[in-house]
Amino acid sequence: MPFRKHYTGLLDRYRDRLPISEDTKIIDLGEGNTPLIKLKNIPGEMGVDAEIYVKYEGLNPTGSFKDRGMCMAVTKAVEEGSKAIICASTGNTSAAAAAYAARAGITAFVLIPDGKIALGKLAQAMMHGAVVIQIHGNFDDGMQLVKEVGEEAPVTIVNSINPFRLQGQKTAAFEIIEELGAAPDYHCLPVGNAGNISAHWMGYVEYAEDGIVPTRPTMVGYQAAGAAPFMRGEMVDEPETVATAIRIGHPQSWDKAWNVQKESGGWFDECTDEEILAAQKLLAEREGVFCEPASATSVAGALRDLKSGKIPAGSKIVCTLTGHGLKDPDTAIKQSTRELITVDATLEDVKGAILNNM
């Protein structure tokens, strides 16, 4: 029987569409090739007529979409002779930067907001050997410091202001088109720093301009209500939301994202923390897909816009789920409605617990 070729990561798969050469030493962890899962239960139960898919980026090596861009950024940093990288992070970027730096044998410096990062993400950065610097400030403060340090120290910035990050992240659009055989009608994403929505649009435009598909999707970005500068029309100095991955008030891809909205005919909107957590729970309980809170923002917004008719019935929709639910287990446990059942280790007690909960 024929065997499937070993998958070696998105840089090798899309080498001809990325700024690398045959001589480039690729730093990879098998990222990309993530599942595109069709929702089977939620649309009917929520009374919406649509074909909804979720792109489950939580199954990347470090559990988030950040790996797509980080493999590209670190590969180019090493190619250019850099011995250290630096980033500001609400968690996922630091985890990815630390992992790929470890793979490359270089040092990762990560700046995180003190007390404002999910422990799952902090654990990753620390275990991968990054130098973790907590600051008394938020992500936006950290980002400003990183840009200043980048001008004075021999380190490569690997936040999404690094153009190679978006080059790697655009490959998610390639994968979606290749699986669906076409571009979706709508692509919905959580928006924090706004690099991901910009990168996806780059990928869709590239395949359309090359004649691989005839259409491009309408791009829709959803923010948390407490961190929604695109809805306010200006930067937000003190963003607050349970969705820590998008707790960002000064998006670094501000101009790019506005261009995406204009060119695709899309829009931005916001979801409350209650809507975000409800969508996270709904995905886990009804579809078996466990994502972190920020990820569920895309589904919360899409369902609401389907119900209102803003997204037409019968549409084919892809929602990006940016990170795995285990990134923030504390938030997940707090909203679980299933209580732990403690019984004696006897057949009678265990059977009774089962029968009482069927």
Side-chain angles (χ1 to χ4, degrees), residues 62 64 66 70 87-98 110-113 116-126 139 159 244-246 248 292 327:
T62 74
S64 87
K66 302 289 186 177
M70 200 58 68
C87 68
S89 179
T90 56
N92 285 330
T93 301
S94 66
V110 300
L111 272 65
I112 62 171
K116 295 288 187 177
I117 179 173
L119 288 181
K121 303 172 188 180
L122 177 59
Q124 287 181 285
M126 295 177 71
F139 168 83
N159 282 100
T244 56
I246 54 174
I248 296 169
E292 68 172 318
K327 291 282 192 170

Side-chain angles (χ1 to χ4, degrees), residues 1 27 32 62 70 97 122 166 190 232 250 287-288 295 297 352:
M1 61 178 287
I27 310 300
T62 74
M70 200 58 68
L122 177 59
L166 301 193
R232 308 293 170 260
H250 290 242
E287 300 288 355
S295 299
T297 309

Side-chain angles (χ1 to χ4, degrees), residues 19 22 52 79 84 95 110 122 124 136 156 223 232 238 241 243 261 264 327 334 343 358:
E22 288 298 323
I52 307 175
E79 186 175 55
V110 300
L122 177 59
Q124 287 181 285
H136 297 303
T156 299
Q223 299 204 279
R232 308 293 170 260
E238 298 294 336
T241 173
Q261 181 260 328
S264 74
K327 291 282 192 170
K334 285 176 184 176
V343 298
M358 290 186 70

Side-chain angles (χ1 to χ4, degrees), residues 42-294:
I42 290 175
E45 292 177 10
M46 299 300 290
V48 296
D49 174 18
E51 193 174 320
I52 307 175
Y53 297 83
V54 290
K55 182 65 167 165
Y56 194 17
E57 291 290 87
L59 293 189
N60 274 298
T62 74
S64 87
F65 79 95
K66 302 289 186 177
D67 295 343
R68 286 186 183 273
M70 200 58 68
C71 65
M72 185 75 245
V74 173
T75 289
K76 295 301 288 187
V78 170
E79 186 175 55
E80 294 165 2
S82 182
K83 301 298 183 184
I85 59 174
I86 189 170
C87 68
S89 179
T90 56
N92 285 330
T93 301
S94 66
Y100 284 90
R103 182 76 161 169
I106 62 177
T107 303
F109 294 94
V110 300
L111 272 65
I112 62 171
D114 185 11
K116 295 288 187 177
I117 179 173
L119 288 181
K121 303 172 188 180
L122 177 59
Q124 287 181 285
M126 295 177 71
M127 281 296 289
H128 287 309
V131 179
V132 181
I133 304 169
Q134 293 191 109
I135 61 168
H136 297 303
N138 58 27
F139 168 83
D140 302 308
D141 298 320
M143 192 65 241
Q144 181 58 39
L145 285 166
V146 162
K147 288 190 283 190
E148 292 172 3
V149 170
E151 294 178 356
E152 299 188 15
V155 293
T156 299
I157 299 173
V158 292
N159 282 100
S160 56
I161 60 172
N162 181 318
F164 298 119
R165 277 278 308 276
L166 301 193
Q167 285 290 318
Q169 286 167 216
K170 74 180 182 182
T171 60
F174 298 165
E175 292 178 7
I176 291 165
I177 286 173
E178 288 161 13
E179 279 206 61
L180 294 179
D185 300 316
Y186 293 84
H187 191 128
C188 303
L189 298 99
V191 171
N193 223 14
N196 210 23
I197 193 170
S198 306
H200 276 76
W201 184 241
M202 287 169 57
Y204 284 126
V205 168
E206 189 171 319
Y207 264 25
E209 289 182 344
D210 287 351
I212 296 172
V213 288
T215 63
R216 306 177 300 190
T218 299
M219 305 295 290
V220 187
Y222 298 105
Q223 299 204 279
F230 287 99
M231 295 304 295
R232 308 293 170 260
E234 61 183 8
M235 302 300 182
V236 175
D237 289 336
E238 298 294 336
E240 270 304 329
T241 173
V242 70
T244 56
I246 54 174
R247 187 190 281 147
I248 296 169
H250 290 242
Q252 296 301 303
S253 294
W254 176 260
D255 292 336
K256 288 185 177 71
W258 280 118
N259 288 335
V260 170
Q261 181 260 328
K262 181 180 178 181
E263 292 176 9
S264 74
W267 61 88
F268 295 107
D269 208 335
E270 59 189 309
C271 298
T272 65
D273 280 0
E274 290 73 22
E275 289 174 316
I276 291 169
L277 292 177
Q280 181 196 24
K281 191 175 179 204
L282 188 66
L283 282 164
E285 291 185 348
R286 303 305 302 136
E287 300 288 355
V289 178
F290 186 26
C291 65
E292 68 172 318

